[in-house]
């Protein structure tokens, strides 16, 4: 496919657990990501949700090879070329990194307090030797302008800025090298709602203007739903469902997705929350449960779930899920009231 | 949620004209600027606002937990009704007095946002609950242990006896937050201050914790002050909501009034800024600009610098007087003032 930017096949990231002996023999593995396949189209936003410990961040970082994947293939299509990122040497990877960027969660710890804003934004250009002399300043100013940062700000240090401004500095740094693909790892989670709205709008505007492709990782489902075209749901290192946003939220096919949806606090006080109960906590990824990994917490568990691993299949065009009862279960999605009924629109 | 009766006898806590400032190197910073609020017996008051709005400072002052450089204005009053039925003026208590120590933890309890850092890493969970119990109740170590185990069980922690002996790092985030609630509730407080208790948790765990707090409130009949910036959470737990901005209350009302009929431009803007599942794909309305620094507070209505409906020459001159739209709904905004007459 020509419009696919990134194709991920059977991605695995296993972290070894070493024992206490002097030579630290490997006892076991934490299977943070265990066989995940998906693709991302050019210019789209793929949302990735799941509880903490499900491996969301590890996926994002292993695509960028900030964490080395243990297995699988990551194919990146750029300039009519298909490149397998997992096969690149460190040196080749370094060159390639200008196409890939990451926006972090915490705008307070992701900016070096000793560097001026100009130096922070210029860092990718300098490190990759993408520009020299005057050109660096020009590109920094251009990036800053795109992120609505005042030129005055460039001489200052990060401590002088609020959370929202810092996050905009982080975004400017990510886009200065003119990347194709940006991983946003909980990029708005630490911000207040009003600032969050501003950053989400900015990310969407930039996508429209510059054609970025995002992998948007967050635990806040409504934020993910807002920005993403398609959403993937992750549980214990594997995808359980992947679908276009509306169909995932309206008509989930996996019981875990249903449970997640039902836990979103409803802003309308007239609608009481009725969360589907998830028993216990997410199991350890060292020894994931047999069969379907979700069976220990699922309300619909049957015997087969404990023994056989469900297959990842396309239920409807573009809607994937892995559950034995995908065709028989009638799961509840989020009710989408018509905008006219909502008390919050059209009123001033 | 019937709240027709409005006698002051029901009020567990009554705060009047609370003003708190901090002495800093750059000068005196006013964090809370003359606010009034009250909490009724058995009810939940929600406080929403962005960071820096004074939510935490105003409630922590109820336990006098503010840093040394803080100044509570002498005209401020915090009246708290003790379990004995006596009403005390908290601002007049000495910070090391016996009475204040009894109230802290014993009658007013606090749950923090960060379950990771609110426990000491070097003591077991059980030890830390026992410590609180021994401080406030006249019991033996044995009895304190029983109370602690019972409390862990009550907040839904499986294997409470085993968890009792574990260290905080051995528990997950959700577990730790439950343990935190167990510490807070083991003294059966009449007021629980929950300062962003679910902000760092996953939605599924958050839903469990909110349900747990609801249940425990019903069982124990305590009042809760719930601080959060998540309007979805507050809509689900609070009976009344107060919207704070830069140390002032801008609007106050029942949950339905605030969420369904917000009147203050700031409240409206906050609600519009939340991404909602029933309005996918619509552009969010961000509030322009940032919260002004408390060092240079705007004169007049604190929100006028970011307000779309600002009336120049009015909003930037003086703070609007309260306008009572109903028995419970009050707004501080010039746009609504004329309707008062």
């Amino acid at each position: 496919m020509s419009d696919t930017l990134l194709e991920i096949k059977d991605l695995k990231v296993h972290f070894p657990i070493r024992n206490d002996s002097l030579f630290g023999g490997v006892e076991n593995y934490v299977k943070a990501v265990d066989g995940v396949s998906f693709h991302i189209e050019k210019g789209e936003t793929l949302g990735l949700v799941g509880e903490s410990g499900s491996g969301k961040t590890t996926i994002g970082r292993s695509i960028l090879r900030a964490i080395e994947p243990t297995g699988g293939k990551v194919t990146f299509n750029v300039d009519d070329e298909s490149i397998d990122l997992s096969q690149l040497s460190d040196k080749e990877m370094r060159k390639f990194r200008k196409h890939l960027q990451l926006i972090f969660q915490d705008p307070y710890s992701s900016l070096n307090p000793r560097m001026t804003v100009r130096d922070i934004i210029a860092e990718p250009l300098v490190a990759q030797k993408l520009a020299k002399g005057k050109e660096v300043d020009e590109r920094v100013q251009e990036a800053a302008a795109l992120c609505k940062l005042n030129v005055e700000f460039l001489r200052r240090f990060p401590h002088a800025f609020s959370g929202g401004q810092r996050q905009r500095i982080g975004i400017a740094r990510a886009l200065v090298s003119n990347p194709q693909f940006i991983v946003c790892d909980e990029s708005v989670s630490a911000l207040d709602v009003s600032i969050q709205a501003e950053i989400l709008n900015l990310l969407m505007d930039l996508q429209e203007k510059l054609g970025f492709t995002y992998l948007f990782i967050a635990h806040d489902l409504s934020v993910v739903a807002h920005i993403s075209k398609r959403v993937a749901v992750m549980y214990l290192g594997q995808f359980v469902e992947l679908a276009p946003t509306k169909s995932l939220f309206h008509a989930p096919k996996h019981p875990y997705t249903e449970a997640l949806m039902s836990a979103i606090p409803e802003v309308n006080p007239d609608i009481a929350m009725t969360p589907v109960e998830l028993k216990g906590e997410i199991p350890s990824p060292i020894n994931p449960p047999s069969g379907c990994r979700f069976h220990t917490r699922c309300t619909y568990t049957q015997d087969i779930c404990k023994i056989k691993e469900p297959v990842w299949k396309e239920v409807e065009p573009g809607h994937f899920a892995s559950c034995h009862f995908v065709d028989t279960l009638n799961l509840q999605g989020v009710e989408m009231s018509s905008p006219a009924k909502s008390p919050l629109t059209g009123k001033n | 949620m019937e709240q027709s009766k409005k006698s002051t006898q029901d009020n567990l806590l009554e705060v009047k004209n609370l003003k708190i400032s901090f002495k800093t190197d750059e000068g005196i910073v006013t964090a809370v600027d003359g606010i009034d609020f009250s909490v009724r017996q058995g009810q939940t008051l929600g406080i929403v606002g962005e960071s820096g709005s004074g939510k935490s400072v105003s409630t922590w002052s109820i336990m006098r937990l503010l840093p040394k450089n803080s100044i509570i204005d002498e005209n401020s009053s915090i009246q708290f009704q003790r379990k004995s039925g006596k009403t005390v003026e908290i601002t007049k208590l000495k910070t090391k007095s016996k009475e204040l120590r009894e109230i802290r933890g014993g009658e007013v309890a606090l749950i923090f946002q960060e379950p990771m850092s609110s426990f000491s890493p070097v003591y077991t969970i059980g030890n830390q609950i026992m410590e609180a119990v021994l401080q406030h109740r006249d019991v033996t170590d044995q009895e304190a242990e029983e109370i602690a185990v019972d409390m862990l069980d009550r907040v839904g922690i499986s294997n409470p006896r085993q968890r009792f002996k574990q260290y905080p790092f051995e528990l997950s985030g959700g577990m730790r937050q439950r343990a935190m609630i167990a510490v807070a509730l083991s003294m059966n407080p009449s007021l629980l201050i929950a300062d962003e208790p679910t902000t760092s948790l996953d939605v599924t765990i958050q839903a469990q914790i909110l349900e747990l707090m609801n249940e425990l409130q019903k069982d124990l009949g305590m009042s809760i002050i719930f601080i959060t910036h998540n309007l979805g959470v507050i809509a689900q737990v609070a009976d009344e909501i107060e919207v704070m901005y830069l140390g002032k209350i801008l609007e106050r009302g029942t949950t339905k009034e605030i969420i369904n009929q917000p009147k203050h431009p700031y409240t409206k803007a906050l609600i519009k800024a939340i991404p909602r599942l029933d309005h996918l794909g619509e552009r969010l309305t961000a509030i322009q600009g940032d919260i002004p620094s408390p060092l240079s507070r705007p004169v007049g209505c604190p929100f006028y610098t970011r307000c779309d409906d600002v009336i120049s020459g009015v909003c930037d001159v003086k703070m609007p007087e309260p306008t009572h739209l109903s028995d419970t709904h009050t707004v501080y905004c010039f746009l609504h003032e004329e309707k008062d007459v």
Side-chain angles (χ1 to χ4, degrees), chain A residues 1 4 18 28 73 147 158 166 200 219 253 260 279 296 312 321:
Chain A
M1 269 192 289
T4 303
R18 299 186 186 281
N28 211 333
K73 227 174 138 179
C147 297
R166 281 167 194 243
L200 286 175
H219 67 273
K253 297 284 179 204
L260 274 184
K279 292 168 248 167
T296 52
W312 178 247

Side-chain angles (χ1 to χ4, degrees), chain A residues 28 164 167 217 320-321:
Chain A
N28 211 333
Q167 200 57 297
I217 304 172
F320 297 83

Side-chain angles (χ1 to χ4, degrees), chain B residues 20-41:
Chain B
I20 300 168
S21 354
F22 292 95
K23 267 184 270 177
T24 67
D25 292 345
E26 286 104 49
I28 293 200
V29 176
T30 307
V32 177
D33 194 11
I35 63 167
D36 305 325
F37 65 92
S38 54
V39 183
R40 289 188 199 133
Q41 243 20 299

Side-chain angles (χ1 to χ4, degrees), chain B residues 83 86 103 126 130 141 151 185 201 297 299:
Chain B
K83 282 179 182 166
K86 194 179 122 199
I103 293 173
M130 268 175 70
D141 283 14
M151 214 54 230
L185 299 188
L201 303 174
R297 297 169 58 86
V299 181

Side-chain angles (χ1 to χ4, degrees), chain B residues 24 45 81 100 109 128 181 195-196 199 221 254 279 303 328 334:
Chain B
T24 67
L45 170 71
Q81 194 182 352
L100 188 60
Q128 297 185 53
I181 294 176
D195 192 351
E196 307 255 10
T199 306
T254 63
H279 303 296
F303 187 58
T328 43
F334 287 112

